[in-house]
Each structure stands twice: as structure tokens, then as C-alpha cells.
Amino acid sequence: MSPSSSTEVTHRTERNRYEISVDGTFAGIAAYEVVDGVTVFSHTVIQDAFEGQGLAGTLVDEAIADVVARGGTFAATCSYVEHWLTKHHQHDDALVDVPQP
């Protein structure tokens, strides 16, 4: 990603995911499901052409920030999100255990 590139994270509620694009080109997703009112992030994927640019972290940060801004709580079963949460604690107040069926 060049210094002049722009990224955009979009919430696609109809697909239960957040998408990130770079200069208008689709670059990846953070998928989730809502379980008992908790947004559970289950899968994060960045397209090969965009790997190594920090986009997964940007995507996860903005997706979680959106959930929190709407007054929600979140959890993670995605290994990437779980790892990201060990290094980023700005949303810890809204982090909950994964709801059990």
C-alpha cells in the first residue's frame, strides 16, 4: 500500500461481515455472527495481493470500534482476532466470553 492509498472499512450487515477496500478495491473481510446479542468475530481474511500491509489489524480495529460505538459487546473465535486482542486493549470493556449454545 502506498502512502497515498486510502482504505475504507464498510459494514455489510446483510452479509454479517465488515469489508476493507484499498483505493476502492476489495481487500478482505472480518466475518461475524450475532449470538445472544453478542457480535462474535469468526473469520478474518485478507486477499493475497494485500497481505503484509497491516490491513487485517485496521479492519479488526475499525470493526470492533463500530460494534462498541453502537453500544454492543463482542467476542472472538477467529484466531487472528484473538491474537490481535492480546496486543490491543482499547476495547477490553466490551469484550465478553463467547456465548455457549
Side-chain angles (χ1 to χ4, degrees), residues 8-24:
E8 181 179 13
V9 174
T10 306
H11 188 191
R12 301 281 187 213
T13 55
E14 74 282 3
R15 294 182 178 176
N16 280 11
R17 69 188 197 183
Y18 288 83
E19 297 178 356
I20 191 166
S21 61
V22 176
D23 294 332

Side-chain angles (χ1 to χ4, degrees), residues 7-9 18-22 25-29 46 55 58-59:
T7 61
E8 181 179 13
V9 174
Y18 288 83
E19 297 178 356
I20 191 166
S21 61
V22 176
T25 302
F26 174 80
I29 65 159
I46 298 298
L55 294 176
T58 298
L59 174 59

Side-chain angles (χ1 to χ4, degrees), residues 23 43 57 68 95 97:
D23 294 332
H43 196 58
V68 173
L95 176 61
D97 291 332

Side-chain angles (χ1 to χ4, degrees), residues 56-95:
T58 298
L59 174 59
V60 168
D61 186 32
E62 291 192 30
I64 291 172
D66 181 63
V67 170
V68 173
R70 291 184 287 112
T73 56
F74 71 96
T77 58
C78 169
S79 60
Y80 178 83
V81 177
E82 289 172 336
H83 176 74
W84 186 89
L85 289 168
T86 66
K87 297 181 178 191
H88 301 88
H89 300 282
Q90 63 268 40
H91 305 296
D92 283 357
D93 290 348
L95 176 61

Side-chain angles (χ1 to χ4, degrees), residues 28-44:
I29 65 159
Y32 66 86
E33 56 189 305
V34 178
V35 180
D36 293 335
V38 176
T39 301
V40 180
F41 288 94
S42 57
H43 196 58
T44 304

